[in-house]
Amino acid sequence: MARAVDGDTAVNPWILRVALVLLLGLSALVLWATNIWLTERFSENTRVRAELRATLYSGQLQSELQRNSVVPMMLARDPALISALSSSDFATTSARLITAQKDIGAASIRLLDASGRTVAATDRQLLGTNYVAAPYFVDAMRARDTVFTVASSERGGFEFVYSRAIADSTRTLGVIVVGTDLTRLEQSWAGISDAVAVTDSTGQVILTTEGRWRGLPLEEALAIRPAPSAIERAFQVTNDWSNTPVDAWIKGRAVMQTETRIPFRGWRMYNFTTYESIRERVLAVLGMEATFFAVLAASIFYVLSRRAQRRSVVYMRESADLRALNVRLTREIAERERVQRELRVAEQTVQQSSKLAALGEMSAGVSHELNQPLAAMKTYLAGARLLLDRGRSDEALSSFQRIDDLVDRMGTITRQLKSYARKGGEAFEPVDLRAALSSALTMMEPQLRARPVRIIRNLPRKPVMVYCDRIRLEQVLINLLRNALDATKTAKDPRIEIGIETGAQAVVTVRDNGPGVSDLDKLFEPFFTTKKPGEGTGLGLAISSGIVADFGGRLTAHNAEDGSGAVFEMALPIYDPDGGRANAPLAAE
């Protein structure tokens, strides 16, 4: 009996493999045939429905245009309007036009006199507006019939207008202008079709459910969408479950394009319908077939996989082990989160230490900066005392004014250093990159004056706002300036170029003309430095990179391509409460 069980165990894997291969082959053949047949059938049905919708839409458009085309002729023969134009008495004319608008259902009605001035309108805000240069006024004054005009609207889009001259027996008195609202049709189309566009005789899109197409030729309107690459298109067509050639690409998907001629001034209507509905219906049927084959395969596995029953006890034991392992992993994850929080605190401590180290390096220069004003103040005091002894008080006052200026300068230096020494946190706020760079340059001024270094700045005229911690941002800028200053020690003509550019992001560039960086891959690693022992810890750039990453930006470096030196670029997201992006023109400073 034991040998029989062993024989079944040895045979079962081979039976399973053969049955599985046959089942996969049969299912692939059935799914392929079903896909071809259903795709052709559903594609044809979709095309027929698209053509019917296009016929319905064009009929609605013609009906709306014809309904409004008779309105100007009726109003042009209205004795009340003719009398108002003749007598220049328009006290009740606007009310009469509003009543006519409600009865007729027109979008708007305006009455223009012979000079093009609006004397009556359903929209009283337009009273007094002059349209002497408008095409519908010019064409109506020249013709003696109703004129249809498509003009650009002040609010965007197009204005569809019927106009007709009003005349008595002797002269032309004015023009009646009736606006047709076709945007309602666009809204109704947008709720049913994927995309609809109506072009005039020149091919320009004048009505569309896609706002970005309006006013463009149809070819340009379709081209404004990003075209997929050859590989993407191959995958899309492969996954499209459709062998029908596509006519256009809308939003990166293949669509049908149906063209309908409208018997009105050479207009044409284009209806775009995606294959997505076809794919959904085909995939629904294929899903049911795949489910059937999956159930069949599961049955085969159930019948032929007897070993799974004998191994169920082993699986239960393994499940218990997995639960115990899950408990241990949960504890390890909690411990890792605690360590990460501690690491965050340590990183902030290291950042503050690096900042204080920079302050220590700047202390000698600051002392020199303060000693100079103190020596000058002593000289001015001695001179003022001598002038007062001689009775020349006016000249002594000028010396006191100079002393006051020097005190202000000393206060500025100490306030700047005190602000920089303050420990940064998470005090995020809108910060002007130009102001932060100016503050960093002020704190670096003693070191920059220690030896001749030419500073070239290329900054925007307008503020460049980013959202970050100002103190930490100044720390990054000071680190970059210190590195650039150290790199130019051996240069004959030391030069540091600083620039700010705006686009999709705000980019601060710091470039020097030093020897460059030999190992860019390790540049932002902790404790890596190209300086001599005792001149640097190798933490400045690593800390700066972490700070910029916290701001949602990126700090990169590369050697200059058109000369010697290294280029550091700090990219930060632009802060704009209104959601726009301002590209400020650059001004060399």
Side-chain angles (χ1 to χ4, degrees):
M1 185 65 182
R3 286 193 297 272
V5 173
D6 293 341
D8 291 342
T9 304
V11 172
N12 278 340
W14 291 101
I15 296 176
L16 178 62
R17 293 189 184 97
V18 173
L20 184 60
V21 169
L22 293 177
L23 182 61
L24 290 176
L26 178 62
S27 61
L29 180 62
V30 172
L31 291 174
W32 176 75
T34 303
N35 171 53
I36 294 178
W37 182 70
L38 289 180
T39 299
E40 292 179 353
R41 180 178 178 183
F42 290 156
S43 296
E44 183 61 27
N45 291 341
T46 301
R47 186 175 294 276
V48 170
R49 286 197 299 269
E51 292 175 352
L52 290 176
R53 282 199 301 269
T55 303
L56 175 63
Y57 294 164
S58 62
Q60 292 175 343
L61 181 59
Q62 294 179 57
S63 176
E64 185 68 18
L65 292 171
Q66 291 175 0
R67 184 175 65 85
N68 288 274
S69 63
V70 299
V71 176
M73 181 177 62
M74 297 169 52
L75 295 178
R77 298 176 179 177
D78 189 349
L81 297 182
I82 296 175
S83 175
L85 289 172
S86 300
S87 61
S88 298
D89 183 10
F90 307 105
T92 60
T93 307
S94 294
R96 186 175 185 82
L97 294 182
I98 293 174
T99 303
Q101 179 192 22
K102 294 179 180 179
D103 296 339
I104 298 171
S108 64
I109 304 176
R110 285 170 287 171
L111 180 64
L112 311 180
D113 60 11
S115 64
R117 183 172 60 90
T118 304
V119 295
T122 54
D123 185 359
R124 298 182 183 273
Q125 296 180 354
L126 299 178
L127 293 175
T129 308
N130 196 292
Y131 297 95
V132 68
Y136 48 81
F137 177 80
V138 176
D139 294 344
M141 291 293 289
R142 294 175 179 175
R144 294 302 178 185
D145 202 351
T146 301
V147 177
F148 179 78
T149 306
V150 179
S152 298
S153 175
E154 297 178 355
R155 301 176 181 177
F158 293 93
E159 184 180 12
F160 303 92
V161 175
Y162 282 101
S163 58
R164 187 184 180 96
I166 301 178
D168 57 9
S169 58
T170 59
R171 58 190 177 93
T172 300
L173 302 175
V175 174
I176 187 72
V177 180
V178 178
T180 303
D181 185 12
L182 301 183
T183 57
R184 294 177 299 176
L185 298 179
E186 290 181 335
Q187 296 172 358
S188 64
W189 298 342
I192 301 175
S193 299
D194 296 315
V196 178
V198 177
T199 61
D200 58 11
S201 58
T202 64
Q204 185 182 32
V205 177
I206 56 177
L207 286 173
T208 179
T209 57
E210 293 286 338
R212 291 181 295 177
W213 293 3
R214 191 174 288 107
L216 298 175
L218 186 61
E219 294 76 8
E220 294 183 11
L222 296 178
I224 65 176
R225 299 187 181 279
S229 64
I231 295 178
E232 291 175 344
R233 182 165 181 170
F235 278 113
Q236 288 172 342
V237 173
T238 302
N239 297 328
D240 199 19
W241 302 98
S242 173
N243 296 325
T244 306
V246 299
D247 299 306
W249 288 86
I250 303 296
K251 297 181 179 177
R253 296 181 179 179
V255 299
M256 290 183 185
Q257 176 177 321
T258 304
E259 179 180 349
T260 304
R261 181 180 174 275
I262 301 176
F264 181 81
R265 297 180 177 270
W267 287 11
R268 293 182 180 274
M269 177 177 289
Y270 297 89
N271 192 333
F272 299 93
T273 305
T274 66
Y275 286 106
E276 184 176 359
S277 59
I278 299 175
R279 286 198 299 271
E280 290 177 353
R281 285 181 287 174
V282 172
L283 288 175
V285 178
L286 295 180
M288 290 188 292
E289 292 183 351
T291 302
F292 170 77
F293 286 112
V295 172
L296 184 59
S299 301
I300 295 175
F301 277 109
Y302 177 76
V303 174
L304 299 179
S305 301
R306 296 179 180 180
R307 292 179 300 175
Q309 297 177 358
R310 293 194 295 268
R311 299 182 61 180
S312 60
V313 177
V314 178
Y315 290 154
M316 292 177 63
R317 293 175 181 174
E318 293 178 351
S319 177
D321 294 339
L322 288 175
R323 285 195 294 270
L325 178 61
N326 186 30
V327 172
R328 290 196 299 271
L329 288 176
T330 302
R331 293 175 181 172
E332 291 180 0
I333 290 173
E335 181 66 18
R336 183 181 293 272
E337 291 177 350
R338 183 186 65 80
V339 172
Q340 287 180 348
R341 289 193 296 269
E342 294 178 354
L343 179 61
R344 180 65 177 174
V345 174
E347 287 179 351
Q348 292 181 353
T349 303
V350 172
Q351 291 177 10
Q352 182 67 10
S353 300
S354 175
K355 189 192 303 181
L356 295 177
L359 282 173
E361 293 181 8
M362 290 188 288
S363 61
V366 172
S367 299
H368 179 70
E369 283 291 314
L370 295 178
N371 285 335
Q372 285 183 343
L374 287 173
M377 289 168 60
K378 186 175 182 180
T379 301
Y380 287 140
L381 284 172
R385 185 181 298 112
L386 182 60
L387 292 173
L388 289 174
D389 292 340
R390 296 180 179 180
R392 298 162 63 182
S393 57
D394 294 338
E395 298 181 14
L397 288 176
S398 64
S399 298
F400 289 136
Q401 181 62 43
R402 295 189 184 96
I403 293 173
D404 185 64
D405 295 339
L406 291 174
V407 171
D408 290 341
R409 175 170 177 79
M410 294 169 65
T412 301
I413 294 174
T414 55
R415 282 196 303 271
Q416 200 78 4
L417 291 176
K418 182 179 179 181
S419 174
Y420 180 68
R422 181 167 56 87
K423 183 176 181 180
E426 298 296 334
F428 280 53
E429 60 182 349
V431 179
D432 187 359
L433 269 180
R434 305 179 309 165
L437 179 59
S438 177
S439 179
L441 287 172
T442 301
M443 284 184 281
M444 288 292 297
E445 185 176 354
Q447 293 173 281
L448 294 174
R449 287 186 177 182
R451 56 189 179 88
V453 179
R454 188 153 53 100
I455 305 297
I456 302 174
R457 291 183 292 175
N458 192 18
L459 307 180
R461 295 189 180 94
K462 296 182 179 179
V464 180
M465 305 303 296
V466 295
Y467 194 69
C468 61
D469 184 351
R470 182 182 62 84
I471 300 300
R472 299 170 69 194
L473 176 62
E474 292 177 1
Q475 180 179 355
V476 174
L477 293 173
I478 288 176
N479 282 338
L480 297 180
L481 292 173
R482 288 174 59 204
N483 286 338
L485 186 62
D486 293 339
T488 57
K489 286 183 178 180
T490 58
K492 295 181 179 179
D493 180 18
R495 183 179 69 256
I496 299 176
E497 299 180 9
I498 308 170
I500 298 179
E501 297 180 354
T502 58
Q505 291 181 313
V507 180
V508 180
T509 304
V510 179
R511 174 176 178 175
D512 60 71
N513 61 342
V517 181
S518 58
D519 196 345
L520 291 171
D521 296 334
K522 299 181 180 180
L523 187 59
F524 295 102
E525 294 182 2
F527 304 107
F528 173 79
T529 178
T530 58
K531 301 177 182 178
K532 297 179 181 180
E535 294 183 358
T537 62
L539 291 174
L541 289 178
I543 292 174
S544 299
S545 179
I547 293 174
V548 175
D550 291 342
F551 295 162
R554 185 180 181 187
L555 180 62
T556 58
H558 61 86
N559 289 321
E561 298 178 357
D562 55 349
S564 63
V567 180
F568 287 83
E569 293 183 351
M570 179 179 63
L572 294 173
I574 293 179
Y575 172 77
D576 191 346
D578 298 331
R581 298 184 183 274
N583 297 323
L586 295 180
E589 295 188 3

